[in-house]
Amino acid sequence: MFNVRLRSISVFVILMMAALTPFASLASANGESSEITVTIDGRPIYFDVAPRKIGGRVMVPLRAIFESLGAKVDWEESTRTITGTKDGTVVKLRLDDTRATIDGKTVMLDVAATKINGRTLVPARFVAESFGAEVEWDESRKQVVIRTGAAAPEGRYYFVYNSRKVTADDLAAIKLYANKFRDTYNVLFDAANYGTAPELYDALRAEQKKLGGRVAGIQIFGLAGDVPSFTYTHKMKPTAGNFEWDGVEENKNEKFVSDLLYANFRNDSKHLQDVSVYNIVQENVPINVIPEWPVSRLPLTKGEIAAYIGKYDAYRGQIAGKSVPTVVLSAPVEFQQGLDIGQDDIAFFMKRLKEEEEFGLFGNTDLRLYYDDLAANLARENKAGVMDLVVGSRGDQNGAALNRDMKDYFFDRESVARLNANYYTAFFWSFDAAKGLDADNLVHEGLVNGRMINPIAQTVPTYGRGVHNLLFLPVPAPEGETGDNWYDYVAVNKEHLEWDNPLYFLYKYYEAIDGGKSRLQSFFEAHAAYANLTEANKHTSRLMYGMEWTYSAFGFENLFSLHYLGLADY
């Protein structure tokens, strides 16, 4: 362990010194500049200000390289000082000054750092190999090749954007963000020329075939109108029906959007237009819905992306080293006669996840549940500090409602802009807070004008269908009674969750969170587990409340509806 840390520190110091001290072998004979690229352990590094040769020396942007190595880089305007920090090593230098310090020791520079187009460029050079790093200049490719000793990454992470729908600042922020993924080969992919999701799907699959390796994930930047989502139609047959109705539900007036199908490359794109549950279950159209890698989308457009990436970095700084409470707002509306527990009561289920030994989650997390005065309690919690917010209610793209008719919002597009005391993640359950993946919904408002970070939200109105906190099941005869035909409402256990209950996704998500996984990784694992369960029960019918239901139909719709909206964790 000590040797690994020593190598990491040494590599950082070497590369900091390499950036501060010129190397004559990188000088051009004629002083001409050309496009210069940089790789670290085989992964490309992206710049908003390109490296260049100036006065016969190769100059590279400091921030891009050192953030790519995992170093924190700070700028102090008053003293024009740059500070790089990694694993306890601190390097300081000032613009137009030939002196720098490494852990307080002065190092004299042959050429001072300079600022070009708002970025600090420094000379690059080779340093002794004994410090643990190898740096080479590939003249034929005009490329600085840096090797830290780490293996070249096999996983490909795609960062998909539309060059016509980003500003220069947006694109610069995307590039610096992508550089922070140090364990993957990162691919910037311009979707400007692809008008439909099937076309983009084919282009991404072709790029992956060319590159080889495995896909580690896909991060999308843009609204559905900027980088296309797949179209989904509500058509399903959840029950066999009766003499008056064939059991088919269909919404012929509206189409919805989904990014689910970007999560594997196993489909023929000809089947991926206007997908429906009916296609998959009744017509047996060969559509694979099992996610093989995480997909996230930042549903913002031109001029909005860079600011959000800055918020995300600030949020990471705010939660560093802290235990973040989970705050649940629940407004259930589905009650069985004679019961005071709502079938769609998310707070009831999450309390059981914490308190019951069968689940045993949230052991080290403060879980706070609210049923009353939801708007006031939400504002109070936001003022108290960072939180992981969970909202379970009826609602739509305009907000979360207190009742079934969705007229009385306790959290809407106006109030989300006022919820700005502290950052918070969000999980919106059972309503389409991100409908359309456009600029006309609660999620977009929270990302742009509030302090919402990386919400999990739905794009299709599912209304909590198939969700059951309680099932009417056989139970032992009460004390003093005889006979076997006794039934009562029973709280669902792990086995019951596998009966196509959407709460299975919630359980698997928090199980992964409790295991130390990131929110996106937890979302992906829960999504994949729920997809496998749904696929396995595709044709399984269950007798519920006097009717045979194929609850997997609701499972498929939930799969298309659930989205991770924000940025992947680096």
Side-chain angles (χ1 to χ4, degrees):
M1 189 66 163
F2 173 79
N3 289 336
V4 172
R5 186 175 184 277
L6 180 61
R7 168 180 283 263
S8 176
I9 293 173
S10 298
V11 168
F12 175 66
V13 173
I14 290 164
L15 292 171
M16 286 297 295
M17 292 180 67
L20 302 179
T21 313
F23 181 53
S25 296
L26 297 185
S28 67
N30 54 19
E32 294 179 358
S33 62
S34 60
E35 184 175 352
I36 295 170
T37 60
V38 178
T39 64
I40 297 179
D41 296 323
R43 60 187 174 96
I45 306 302
Y46 298 105
F47 305 97
D48 55 331
V49 175
R52 63 197 66 194
K53 288 184 178 181
I54 300 175
R57 311 232 182 243
V58 173
M59 305 289 282
V60 294
L62 182 146
R63 186 182 197 95
I65 290 179
F66 295 111
E67 286 189 340
S68 300
L69 292 166
K72 180 182 178 183
V73 181
D74 294 311
W75 165 255
E76 184 178 333
E77 180 65 34
S78 61
T79 60
R80 293 160 51 89
T81 299
I82 306 153
T83 302
T85 307
K86 178 177 169 64
D87 296 335
T89 297
V90 179
V91 178
K92 292 179 178 287
L93 71 155
R94 293 199 308 174
L95 282 179
D96 305 319
D97 194 334
T98 56
R99 292 172 298 176
T101 63
I102 299 177
D103 289 337
K105 297 180 180 179
T106 300
V107 176
M108 298 305 298
L109 309 179
D110 185 44
V111 176
T114 187
K115 181 167 282 192
I116 298 176
N117 295 335
R119 294 297 181 191
T120 300
L121 271 67
V122 294
R125 62 155 293 180
F126 285 124
V127 185
E129 292 183 358
S130 60
F131 282 90
E134 294 181 357
V135 184
E136 297 178 358
W137 170 247
D138 188 328
E139 177 64 32
S140 62
R141 296 184 179 182
K142 303 297 182 186
Q143 186 174 84
V144 178
V145 180
I146 300 170
R147 298 187 182 91
T148 70
E154 293 184 2
R156 317 301 188 194
Y157 219 112
Y158 290 87
F159 297 84
V160 185
Y161 69 101
N162 182 338
S163 58
R164 301 184 189 123
K165 296 293 184 177
V166 294
T167 65
D169 286 344
D170 291 336
L171 186 55
I174 290 171
K175 289 178 177 180
L176 291 176
Y177 165 73
N179 287 341
K180 295 177 181 179
F181 287 70
R182 293 184 288 152
D183 298 324
T184 51
Y185 183 99
N186 305 316
V187 182
L188 286 182
F189 194 94
D190 187 358
N193 293 326
Y194 305 101
T196 68
E199 291 172 342
L200 178 57
Y201 179 89
D202 282 342
L204 287 167
R205 182 167 56 182
E207 182 69 13
Q208 175 58 22
K209 184 177 180 180
K210 181 177 69 175
L211 291 175
R214 62 179 180 83
V215 179
I218 295 177
Q219 170 68 55
I220 300 170
F221 299 89
L223 304 175
D226 301 339
V227 177
S229 289
F230 293 93
T231 52
Y232 170 82
T233 60
H234 174 77
K235 184 179 181 181
M236 62 170 66
K237 188 175 182 178
T239 181
N242 53 40
F243 67 94
E244 295 179 325
W245 174 49
D246 63 3
V248 177
E249 300 178 5
E250 185 174 8
N251 181 347
K252 296 182 178 180
N253 300 319
E254 193 170 14
K255 292 183 180 181
F256 304 95
V257 296
S258 177
D259 288 334
L260 170 66
L261 298 173
Y262 285 123
N264 70 54
F265 287 152
R266 296 186 181 275
N267 291 304
D268 187 328
S269 62
K270 70 182 181 183
H271 300 307
L272 304 185
Q273 190 73 28
D274 296 341
V275 177
S276 71
V277 176
Y278 194 88
N279 292 155
I280 297 170
V281 179
Q282 275 69 42
E283 297 178 339
N284 292 312
V285 176
I287 298 175
N288 187 314
V289 298
I290 310 298
E292 295 183 5
W293 49 76
V295 174
S296 50
R297 176 190 287 265
L298 181 60
L300 301 180
T301 193
K302 191 172 186 176
E304 299 173 341
I305 294 170
Y308 179 83
I309 293 176
K311 289 181 184 180
Y312 173 71
D313 288 336
Y315 158 76
R316 286 173 61 99
Q318 194 173 5
I319 66 169
K322 294 181 180 179
S323 176
V324 178
T326 298
V327 175
V328 185
L329 308 180
S330 188
V333 298
E334 296 291 344
F335 292 90
Q336 301 297 138
Q337 185 174 0
L339 297 179
D340 58 2
I341 297 171
Q343 293 285 31
D344 57 340
D345 185 348
I346 193 172
F348 173 78
F349 182 68
M350 292 183 68
K351 183 179 181 182
R352 292 185 61 220
L353 291 182
K354 181 178 178 67
E355 294 182 353
E356 296 187 11
E357 185 176 354
E358 180 182 18
F359 299 109
L361 303 181
F362 296 103
N364 298 314
T365 302
D366 187 9
L367 180 64
R368 300 201 280 266
L369 312 175
Y370 295 99
Y371 291 98
D372 302 314
D373 300 321
L374 297 182
N377 280 311
L378 175 57
R380 182 176 59 81
E381 286 283 1
N382 179 242
K383 291 178 181 177
V386 183
M387 63 177 163
D388 292 331
L389 174 66
V390 181
V391 179
S393 75
R394 284 293 173 90
D396 55 22
Q397 71 268 30
N398 294 311
L402 289 170
N403 44 47
R404 191 186 300 272
D405 63 11
M406 297 183 288
K407 292 182 179 179
D408 190 4
Y409 295 111
F410 63 88
F411 185 33
D412 60 17
R413 291 165 63 177
E414 291 184 8
S415 61
V416 73
R418 298 192 298 269
L419 205 67
N420 56 17
N422 287 285
Y423 293 109
Y424 62 96
T425 64
F427 191 147
F428 297 112
W429 180 255
S430 290
F431 68 101
D432 50 334
K435 184 178 180 180
L437 291 176
D438 55 22
D440 188 26
N441 57 55
L442 176 69
V443 164
H444 182 268
E445 195 69 28
L447 294 175
V448 174
N449 296 318
R451 291 207 166 190
M452 186 188 297
I453 298 293
N454 291 9
I456 295 170
Q458 294 180 291
T459 59
V460 182
T462 60
Y463 307 113
R465 298 180 72 188
V467 174
H468 292 97
N469 269 312
L470 307 168
L471 292 175
F472 197 63
L473 298 172
V475 296
E479 186 175 353
E481 301 289 345
T482 60
D484 299 326
N485 195 27
W486 291 93
Y487 284 78
D488 201 354
Y489 284 100
V490 177
V492 295
N493 58 25
K494 286 184 180 180
E495 179 184 353
H496 300 145
L497 291 177
E498 295 187 8
W499 295 0
D500 310 305
N501 193 328
L503 292 176
Y504 178 80
F505 172 87
L506 201 69
Y507 163 61
K508 298 303 288 186
Y509 172 78
Y510 282 107
E511 181 182 52
I513 289 286
D514 207 58
K517 304 290 180 63
S518 70
R519 291 181 73 248
L520 176 57
Q521 184 64 26
S522 299
F523 176 88
F524 162 63
E525 291 184 9
H527 216 192
Y530 189 29
N532 277 292
L533 177 70
T534 302
E535 181 65 33
N537 292 330
K538 180 190 293 187
H539 300 292
T540 301
S541 62
R542 304 184 191 281
L543 182 63
M544 295 282 189
Y545 311 109
M547 289 186 66
E548 291 281 345
W549 291 90
T550 305
Y551 276 86
S552 62
F554 308 134
F556 279 111
E557 187 150 279
N558 274 307
L559 289 171
F560 281 100
S561 182
L562 285 161
H563 288 73
Y564 191 93
L565 300 173
L567 296 175
D569 303 296
Y570 50 80

